[in-house]
Amino acid sequence: MAEPVSSNAAEDDPERSEHHDGAAEETKGGAHRKRGKGKAKKKRPFWVELPILIVVALALTFVIQQFFFRVYMIPSGSMETTLHGCEGCTGDRILVDKITFDFVDPTPGDVVVFKGPEPWVENEALPAESSNPVARFFQSIGSVFGLAPPDERDFVKRIIAMPGQTVECCDAQNRVVVDGKALDEPYLHFEDGTGVQAPFDPVKVPLGSVWVMGDNRNNSSDSRMQGGGGERGAVPLENIIGKARIIVLPPDRWGGVTDHNPQEAAQPAALGMSAPAWQQGIPLGIGVVAAWPTVWAGRKLGAGLRGAAQRKR
């Protein structure tokens, strides 16, 4: 039968007591060493951390703007009043969505940023670059963050017609017509106050391209004239960089960018669409040719009626 251990066992056995005390001290020492190893390293000074944070932030921003979103500066007034821009003033900064068109196709009414096609830029002089490499570096950085004009020939316009559609201007109510239907364009702006659009002949948009125009319709160099107009003015879909989503600067213009589809509520074109001069002269020619036979037939009919009336008398 096991006997209970006396509470004085340690005192009765000096060797055991010494062994126990040594183990306890060793355990405490080990714990102390572990706690010493677990202490956090001394933090770097803020002035050392700051440059690292800035570099990481810039790197992340660069990746985001290259592949997901990018801020662009609007340098001209061709999209007034949807997007603000003018010489010598602060133009809008817009956030451009660069991933949407990887999954869906552009649609009429989308305001898009695109790289100028070859016909648009073949006669354009490239923006002058500073001879100072430091200045060029900061200009490049500024263009990436929307703080300076882009360092390439990029444009912003609204999609009006899609591949294979026929676009022309104008019907009797001065509206752009696509596939025989007059567009609904509430975003139009005429800074000259006339409200009259310059006419252009029908153009069938090439496959793989879109027809783009500015909202400030009479002050926009777009598909109607770029590259000489016609099919050369169309923009290849592959040149589209992204869709303008939000005005981010200046603060008093914060808000979304309208993507009203002008074809959604399109109406049959009003009669009296402008046509080439020789076509407009066709009715007059027909009238001239038909005038003499009509007069001759009228005289013969009148003479016959008068003769019949005299015989009855």
Side-chain angles (χ1 to χ4, degrees):
M1 186 174 175
E3 294 181 358
V5 178
S6 171
S7 60
N8 297 325
E11 296 176 2
D12 296 338
D13 190 354
E15 292 183 3
R16 181 178 177 184
S17 176
E18 289 176 5
H19 176 74
H20 178 78
D21 292 344
E25 289 178 5
E26 185 178 348
T27 302
K28 290 179 181 179
H32 179 73
R33 285 194 296 273
K34 286 183 180 178
R35 284 197 297 270
K37 288 182 179 179
K39 284 184 179 179
K41 292 182 179 179
K42 186 179 179 181
K43 290 185 177 180
R44 286 188 289 258
F46 177 73
W47 61 268
V48 175
E49 293 279 357
L50 183 59
I52 298 174
L53 292 174
I54 292 175
V55 170
V56 172
L58 289 175
L60 289 174
T61 304
F62 180 81
V63 170
I64 291 171
Q65 296 217 62
Q66 285 298 310
F67 300 102
F68 299 98
F69 300 92
R70 182 171 175 179
V71 176
Y72 281 82
M73 185 178 78
I74 306 304
S76 73
S78 66
M79 285 295 293
E80 292 278 4
T81 58
T82 304
L83 301 177
H84 178 71
C86 61
E87 293 293 334
C89 69
T90 302
D92 285 348
R93 269 67 169 179
I94 55 174
L95 186 67
V96 175
D97 171 5
K98 302 179 74 171
I99 60 175
T100 292
F101 294 148
D102 290 335
F103 303 98
V104 299
D105 294 329
T107 57
D110 287 343
V111 176
V112 296
V113 172
F114 56 93
K115 192 177 296 293
E118 184 61 31
W120 285 48
V121 299
E122 59 188 1
N123 296 321
E124 292 283 338
L126 292 175
E129 290 189 351
S130 172
S131 58
N132 188 324
V134 176
R136 286 201 305 270
F137 171 78
F138 282 106
Q139 182 180 0
S140 299
I141 294 296
S143 69
V144 169
F145 294 98
L147 302 176
D151 54 4
E152 60 221 47
R153 297 297 292 159
D154 296 339
F155 298 83
V156 57
K157 305 290 178 188
R158 190 182 298 272
I159 295 178
I160 299 300
M162 301 301 292
Q165 292 187 317
T166 299
V167 57
E168 56 189 307
C169 186
C170 301
D171 72 350
Q173 296 181 24
N174 194 48
R175 297 174 296 184
V176 172
V177 176
V178 173
D179 286 347
K181 291 187 176 181
L183 301 184
D184 171 40
E185 299 190 272
Y187 44 73
L188 286 186
H189 174 66
F190 297 94
E191 63 182 24
D192 56 7
T194 63
V196 178
Q197 302 188 62
F200 60 91
D201 293 335
V203 179
K204 186 171 183 179
V205 183
L207 296 179
S209 299
V210 292
W211 185 267
V212 297
M213 298 173 74
D215 291 357
N216 191 358
R217 194 54 51 87
N218 289 342
N219 188 27
S220 172
S221 183
D222 46 41
S223 290
R224 297 169 294 174
M225 54 203 71
Q226 290 283 5
E231 293 185 359
R232 283 172 54 84
V235 175
L237 289 168
E238 63 187 19
N239 281 47
I240 295 178
I241 296 171
K243 179 177 179 178
R245 291 286 189 185
I246 303 171
I247 299 172
V248 294
L249 285 174
D252 61 345
R253 283 182 53 81
W254 283 347
V257 178
T258 172
D259 57 358
H260 175 83
N261 187 338
Q263 296 189 22
E264 203 166 70
Q267 303 174 351
L271 296 177
M273 290 178 58
S274 59
W278 68 270
Q279 293 180 8
Q280 294 179 6
I282 289 177
L284 177 61
I286 293 175
V288 171
V289 172
W292 186 84
T294 302
V295 172
W296 179 83
R299 288 176 179 174
K300 294 293 286 183
L301 180 61
L305 292 174
R306 285 194 298 272
Q310 289 177 355
R311 283 194 296 273
K312 286 182 179 180
R313 292 175 185 173

